[in-house]
Amino acid sequence: MTDPNIERKLVEIMRIISESDKPLGARLIADELHNRGYAIGERAVRYHLRILDERGFTKKHGYIGRTITERGKKELNDALISDRFGFVITRIEELIYKADYNVDTGKGNVIVNITNIDKDDYDNATEVIRYAMDHGATISPRVGIIEEDTDLDIYVPEGKVAVATVCSITFDGLLLNSGIPVVPVYGGLMEIADHSPAGFLDLISYNGTSIDPIKIFLRRKATSILEAIETGNGKMLANVRQIPASAAKRAEEILDIAGKHDISGHLAIGEPDEDVLFAPIERGKIGIPVMVGINSVAAVEEAGIPVETNPVSAVMEYSKMKKL
């Protein structure tokens, strides 16, 4: 499980490496971390460096040390700057407020993820998306298709087609609009065994990070969604929100109604004061894990088709979204 303290150390390590004009080893990084007030040893630095390597943010040069990659520089400049910690949860809260989808009418704005696909790959990509959706890997089979120069407030790069998939954070909007206090707490990697959720293998908190946890797992290429569909065993992405235990019955009613309008995918409604699928939950609360809408897009990448995905990106009128 990745927590905010680890993320802060990762950022500082990236800064130290980026400030050097030559590769840096774990010992020098540990020394500099001590100078900056971080009590972390050489062995722990190596552990953090492995995480950065996996994310593609640093490159190892044998025994000489690490340098920061172009991808790492971009993340450091655009996302992983310490004064932007908490940006993701702030953005999510803003979109939850804008999501006014009504479970009774089936109309209103839902939160969507935006995926850009090369026009040449569009037919093959949407075939994979449809396949994943037909097998329940996501929360809704509906998508929005956005072309270049659309009048929607969504930028589509030249030569691309954008596909909007319903984001699981939409559930948080449904609950909040029904008077239930809700907080997104984790994004995670879920093990699937015998076609059923077996438990989270890894969790990243939404609080204290400037990168969307689901995006981190996408970049790690941690999923095996097509394998899960075909064999019943694999890894999919899911997230967890928590609500007051007293609201459990009402939440279940809302989720059941939403399912009648093609918005489903919640994996469980936990018990008070108990972990749910190995995800820790606060006292007096229950956890609700939900399969994420991006699973269908992760399946596209597993099929070898390059895409660019921005989770929790915008809101869209649900009634205008259609099945592929």
Side-chain angles (χ1 to χ4, degrees):
M1 182 184 301
T2 306
D3 64 30
N5 289 329
I6 291 178
E7 293 292 330
R8 290 186 180 93
K9 291 171 185 174
L10 292 174
V11 172
E12 205 59 43
I13 289 171
M14 288 177 66
R15 282 178 170 170
I16 291 169
I17 295 173
S18 71
E19 291 166 4
S20 174
D21 58 1
K22 60 184 179 180
L24 288 183
R27 180 176 297 178
L28 289 175
I29 294 171
D31 289 343
E32 183 58 27
L33 284 169
H34 276 278
N35 293 336
R36 301 185 184 196
Y38 289 85
I40 178 172
E42 186 176 341
R43 183 176 178 182
V45 168
R46 291 196 183 97
Y47 165 76
H48 288 74
L49 288 170
R50 283 197 297 271
I51 295 175
L52 291 172
D53 289 346
E54 288 175 1
R55 296 182 184 180
F57 297 160
T58 53
K59 181 179 180 181
K60 186 176 181 181
H61 301 271
Y63 293 103
I64 301 175
R66 260 90 167 178
T67 56
I68 191 166
T69 64
E70 288 302 316
R71 183 174 180 177
K73 290 176 182 177
K74 184 177 186 304
E75 288 298 334
L76 188 60
N77 290 332
D78 296 343
L80 284 175
I81 298 175
S82 61
D83 61 2
R84 291 184 62 193
F85 274 115
F87 172 80
V88 167
I89 194 64
T90 301
R91 172 65 173 162
I92 287 173
E93 289 170 346
E94 178 185 351
L95 289 174
I96 289 174
Y97 176 75
K98 291 181 178 179
D100 55 4
Y101 176 75
N102 187 304
V103 292
D104 295 317
T105 65
K107 295 182 179 181
N109 287 321
V110 295
I111 301 170
V112 295
N113 316 295
I114 300 296
T115 299
N116 293 319
I117 304 170
D118 284 342
K119 289 182 177 179
D120 292 341
D121 294 326
Y122 176 76
D123 289 341
N124 291 334
T126 51
E127 184 177 340
V128 177
I129 292 172
R130 184 188 301 111
Y131 176 73
M133 288 179 167
D134 287 347
H135 288 81
T138 185
I139 74 167
S140 174
R142 298 194 195 184
V143 300
I145 306 300
I146 309 146
E147 305 279 355
E148 294 178 56
D149 302 321
T150 179
D151 56 356
L152 293 175
D153 191 22
I154 296 173
Y155 171 70
V156 181
E158 184 178 353
K160 307 278 187 179
V161 178
V163 175
T165 51
V166 179
C167 175
S168 55
I169 299 296
T170 293
F171 278 99
D172 300 77
L174 295 179
L175 297 171
L176 186 63
N177 290 334
S178 298
I180 299 176
V182 57
V183 178
V185 283
Y186 307 113
L189 187 66
M190 172 68 67
E191 180 180 12
I192 304 297
D194 296 326
H195 299 282
S196 298
F200 283 99
L201 298 170
D202 195 5
L203 292 168
I204 300 176
S205 171
Y206 278 103
N207 259 321
T209 179
S210 56
I211 302 179
D212 188 290
I214 297 302
K215 194 164 189 176
I216 291 173
F217 289 113
L218 281 176
R219 288 179 176 177
R220 290 182 185 174
K221 301 188 183 302
T223 63
S224 50
I225 290 158
L226 296 176
E227 183 179 347
I229 292 172
E230 292 161 8
T231 70
N233 302 296
K235 302 179 184 69
M236 295 192 182
L237 299 172
N239 57 29
V240 184
R241 68 271 308 119
Q242 62 183 22
I243 64 172
S246 59
K249 183 177 180 180
R250 176 58 178 153
E252 186 172 6
E253 292 172 352
I254 294 166
L255 297 180
D256 286 344
I257 295 172
K260 297 176 182 178
H261 296 284
D262 291 331
I263 299 181
S264 58
H266 68 282
L267 303 174
I269 295 181
E271 297 294 328
D273 305 329
E274 291 186 9
D275 294 355
V276 56
L277 295 172
F278 306 129
I281 300 298
E282 295 178 10
R283 290 184 60 83
K285 304 291 181 63
I286 62 169
I288 304 177
V290 175
M291 205 70 79
V292 305
I294 278 178
N295 279 326
S296 59
V297 176
V300 173
E301 293 198 88
E302 290 176 16
I305 303 171
V307 297
E308 179 186 330
T309 300
N310 295 299
V312 202
S313 187
V315 293
M316 182 174 287
E317 170 57 50
Y318 186 62
S319 63
K320 295 182 179 179
M321 301 178 74
K322 307 297 181 182
K323 295 182 180 180
L324 284 170

